Amino acid sequence: MPYVESDIQKGLLQRAFQQLDEMEPMAQRLTQTLSEVLNGKRRLPTVPRYVTSPVEIKGASLIADTVDPVTGKRERRPVFLVGFGHFGKVRKDLEKFPRMGFNLVQVEMGVSDILPRKGEVRLKKLEEDILPLLRRAAQANVRVDLLISPHYMPDWVLQEYPELRQAREGFLQYSLFAPQSLQVLKEYLRHFAPHLRNQPALNSICLSNEPMNVEDPQSPPQLAAWREWLKARHKTLLTLNTRWQTNYSSWDNIPIPTEGAPYAEFCEFNQEWTANWHRALAQELKRYLPGVPLHAKLMSGLFLSDREQHRGIDPQLFAEFCELNGNDATTFYSHAPDSPFAFGWVGTMMAHDLQRSLRDAPLFNSENHVIPDREQRVVPPQHGRAVLWEEAIRGLSATTFWVWERTDDPQSDFAGSLLHRPAFIEALAHTALDLNRLAPYVAALQNQPPDLYLYHSPLDLVLQGADAVVARDHLYIALTMLGVRVGFVTERQVAARQLPAGKRILLPVSYTHLTL
C-alpha cells in the first residue's frame, strides 16, 4: 500500500491502478478464506518452515531443520530455499521474507570493496554489511548466498598489470589467460573468506556472475595459452597438420580459428580454461571455508546453443568442483497468441535436466528471470507458479528471483520487475509454501532417475550447428510430452565409459565419430 500511495503522489497513476487492480482481488480472497476458516468450513494446511540449522545435500535435495508453526514440532526434512536478489532492497526487507514464505537471498561483494587501492585492505563492506546481514539472517531463519563478484576488479589492478587489459565481452573485463588475475583474486579471498567461518546463515558461495570467456583473438595471453594447449594435445606439428589438413610451419603461426574442426578444438580449449580458472578460485575458497557449497551463475543458453560454444561454458567441467549445479536461467511468458506453449520452458528445463545428469546435486538458479527487464505488459501470476514448480520437480532446490527492487526509471533493468507486481509475488509465495509443505513428495520426484537419456556433445553442436539443436529440441519436447523423464549422457561421459546401466541412449542426430 505505501508503494501505491507513493506512485499516486508521483503521478504514476497507471502503475498505481495496476497494483490496486491486483491487490483488491487478493484482499477479497483472503477475507473469504479467513471467514471460511473461522466458520469451520475450511482448514488451512500447515507448512513446516525452515529454521536456521546446518543444511546437507542429498541427491537433488537440501535437508535441514524445520518447525511446524502450529505444533512447534522440529523435524529434519527436505526444504526448498526460495527468495530474491540482489541489492539493497533484499537487505532492507530481510525480516519480512519468512512471513511471506521466502527464506533465501543473494547479495554480492567484489574485489574493489576489499582491495580498493594498491597495498590497501579495507574490510568495511564485510564488517558493516555482509557480516551483520548474516547475523540478521540467522535470527530471521533466512539463508544467504554470497556472490563474490570477481568482475568488480579495481582500476589499480589493470594499471599494475597491463597484460590484463584485453578487449573482452561479458562481465569479466580482464584477461583470464594472464596469471595475474588469479593472483589478485586469491589475495582478495585471503582477506575476507576466513571471516565467514561458522556463519550459520551462510548457504553457499557463488563464484562468478554470468561467466564467459570471449577475448580479442589477437590477445597475446590467449594466443600463448592456446598454443601450449595444442602442443599438449597434438605433440607435434606434423600430427596437428595431418589432423587439421593444414601446413603450419611453427606453433607461433597458429591463430584463433573460426571454423571447422580447429574451431571445435578451440571451443574445447576455451571451455577447459574457463572451468579451470574457476576451479582455482574454488580450491582457494575451500581452504578457508571447507564445507560451504560452491556454484557459478552459468547462463543456460551458453551451453545449449550451437552458436555460443566459443564462450567457454561447459557445465560438466564446473560440476567437477561445484557442490551445487548453479545457473542463471530465463523463462518468459509467451504473449504471442500463436505460441505453442504458455511460456518458453524448453531451454530452462532442458538445461536443468542436463545439469542434473552431470552431478547428483541440487540445482540453484540464483538469477531466476521470469519477467523480462522493462516489461510493462501484464504477466499472469500463474506463470511464476508454473516456472517454479517445473524447475523444482527437475531438481531445483534453491533459487533467488531477479529482482527485489523498484524503480521509477522506465529504462532501468529493474523496471517492470517483481516488486511492481503484487499478485505475482503472492503466487511465488504460495508456490514456495506448497513446495515446503509437500517437500518429501517433491524430493521423491526430484530424485527419480531418468527413463532414458539423450546424447549431448558440445563438439557436435559446433560441427553440426542448428541441425543438431533443432533435432535435440524436438526430441526433448516429444519425450517430455509423453511423460518420459529425460536425462543426458555427454561426450565426455561416453569417453570415460560412464554410461547409465540398463538405460536407453537416444541420438538426436547421426554422430559419425561416436563409439558406444
Side-chain angles (χ1 to χ4, degrees), residues 3 88-98 100 136 404 419:
Y3 291 151
K89 202 75 175 70
V90 292
R91 290 164 163 86
K92 181 178 179 181
D93 290 347
L94 183 80
E95 284 79 9
K96 297 179 182 178
F97 291 133
M100 302 164 66
R136 287 170 55 203
W404 194 257
L419 207 47

Side-chain angles (χ1 to χ4, degrees), residues 320-339:
E320 293 174 359
F321 58 87
C322 289
E323 289 77 16
L324 299 169
N325 290 308
N327 60 54
D328 175 332
T330 297
T331 318
F332 294 151
Y333 178 70
S334 301
H335 285 92
D338 58 348
S339 175

Side-chain angles (χ1 to χ4, degrees), residues 350-386:
M350 186 188 305
H352 284 28
D353 286 336
L354 172 60
Q355 287 189 279
R356 277 286 291 122
S357 302
L358 301 175
R359 186 179 182 119
D360 187 21
L363 293 158
F364 185 175
N365 182 353
S366 60
E367 198 167 311
N368 203 333
H369 292 265
V370 289
I371 296 174
D373 295 346
R374 296 170 292 281
E375 176 64 79
Q376 298 301 321
R377 293 172 292 183
V378 173
V379 179
Q382 297 91 331
H383 169 63
R385 181 174 181 83

Side-chain angles (χ1 to χ4, degrees), residues 110-111 147-153 158 164-177 181-182 185 188 206-216 273-275 277-278 281 296-299 311-313 318:
V111 191
L147 169 61
I148 62 172
S149 295
H151 56 282
Y152 294 136
M153 187 68 80
L158 302 182
L164 292 174
R165 290 185 180 274
Q166 305 295 335
R168 289 179 56 84
E169 296 181 20
F171 278 88
L172 294 165
Q173 287 293 305
Y174 51 86
S175 178
L176 304 193
F177 300 100
S181 62
L182 283 174
L185 289 171
Y188 162 56
C206 186
L207 295 171
S208 66
N209 182 67
E210 300 178 1
M212 65 172 69
N213 194 19
V214 183
E215 195 155 300
D216 184 339
W273 191 278
T274 308
W277 187 88
H278 284 82
L281 290 183
K297 199 178 290 192
L298 308 182
M299 291 185 286
R311 297 187 185 275
I313 300 302
F318 280 80

Side-chain angles (χ1 to χ4, degrees), residues 17-33:
F17 281 101
Q18 284 176 343
Q19 292 167 99
L20 286 172
D21 286 346
E22 292 184 11
M23 289 195 291
E24 286 177 351
M26 291 166 58
Q28 292 169 4
R29 289 196 303 272
L30 180 59
T31 299
Q32 181 178 351
T33 298

Side-chain angles (χ1 to χ4, degrees), residues 268-281:
E268 184 179 357
F269 150 76
N270 199 31
Q271 289 165 355
E272 291 182 3
W273 191 278
T274 308
N276 286 335
W277 187 88
H278 284 82
R279 190 193 306 268
L281 290 183

